[in-house]
Amino acid sequence: MLDASRGRAMITSPASAAVFTMVLTQGPVSRVEIARRTGLSSAAVTKAARPFIDAGYLFEMAATERTAPGAGRPASPLAIQPGREFFTGVKITHEELIGVVTDLRADVVATARRPLAGCEPAYVVAELAALADELRGVSPAVRERCHALGLAVSGDVDKDTGLVRYSPFLRWHEVPLGRLAGAATGLTVTVENDVKALTVAEHWFGEGVGASSFALVTVGLGIGCAVVVEDRLVAGARGVAGEIGHVPVGGDGPPCHCGGHGCVEAIAGTPAVVEAARTALGDDALTLDGAMAAARAGDPAAAAVFSRAGEAIGRAMAAMANLIGPERIIVSGDMPGLAAYELFEDDVRKAFTLQAFGAAADCRLVLRPQPFEQWARGAAAVAIQTLFTLRER
């Protein structure tokens, strides 16, 4: 089926969702292979693929392989036409907006940044609209074919409604970001928690491709986590599943901005590490760089701060692995927070191995640093996934 107003292919059935998603994330792939992996008949695969070919989203490559030795004609793999549609993605921090334009395969074709002088929602949305317009203006093709905007925000986000319930670093409460951004830009807007957005990008286009179950843990201002189970991002009833940053591992202290005590984020988040290092070294002006330099120089007090942070992260990751049983855990995050990871990586792995139960300890840990542009790419990936995922109609 096509959306006549824009000539866009639409997902109208589980078969069309399965076929298009497989080609998008794992293609080029032949119809025979799609049928084998999905359990659909060859006729059903052809029927599902046809609207996407007609609309220019898919194309048939030259025949390269036979369905079986000596049998039938060579197969013509289906592949994505990446430039058929473009997507804007923006990561919103308390200091700046980081934006990208991607093609249909989430490959970045343009980037831009815009500093923020404040965090008042109306001001941020106005700056967001200006940045989106700048990004869409990189070429006539992008201007014509970019209809969707993905936004990534830290905190408690309701993706279904575009509501930011709580964002600690932006100090937002109950902000209807999706509605405000849609009105300001005229684009179709999706809003997602930033860690979940990054996980969507890894799931469809990155380290998570081919893994039916994995987790992504981010280390930075906060400690974030999102999990994919049986090829689905786990959101939970209210969209906050996976928040290991607020798993209590430190007893009665220190206090956390969420109102609890002993949370992983209150021990291992960048602000918490800096504050603990200042106290340990008796220097109220100490920065993260200074704390890292002291630890690398062998200062035992500084080293203990990073060791405690690593232990807290490792324990929380083990708790998550015991509950979910992921195939792998991708450790990522923003700079400069992740720059400290080498100082506590051994403590992370040691605590994880000690606390993980049985075979859960065999879960592979993968270090994957990500600049903020990749978080913005994650926002674009959510927009791609939302457009090409079957929804109730």
Side-chain angles (χ1 to χ4, degrees), residues 3 27 42 76 87 107 119 188 196 200 228 236 250 262 303 314 322 341-342:
D3 177 351
S42 295
S76 298
F87 299 81
D107 289 331
C119 294
T188 299
K196 288 185 172 63
V200 167
V228 170
N322 290 341
Y341 188 72
E342 66 175 89

Side-chain angles (χ1 to χ4, degrees), residues 101-122:
V101 170
T102 78
D103 63 18
L104 194 50
R105 289 228 0 112
D107 289 331
V108 175
V109 298
T111 66
R113 290 190 175 214
R114 183 171 289 256
L116 293 176
C119 294
E120 200 277 327

Side-chain angles (χ1 to χ4, degrees), residues 208-228:
V209 172
S212 64
S213 175
F214 73 95
L216 184 142
V217 174
T218 58
V219 179
L221 285 175
I223 306 298
C225 178
V227 296
V228 170

Side-chain angles (χ1 to χ4, degrees), residues 125 128-129 149 151 176-191:
V125 168
L128 176 64
L149 169 64
L151 303 176
L177 182 60
R179 176 174 60 79
L180 295 174
T185 63
L187 301 173
T188 299
V189 177
T190 56
V191 185

Side-chain angles (χ1 to χ4, degrees), residues 286-312:
L286 190 68
T287 63
L288 178 63
D289 287 342
M292 290 191 295
R296 289 179 179 126
D299 187 296
V305 169
F306 289 101
S307 178
R308 187 186 183 202
E311 182 180 1

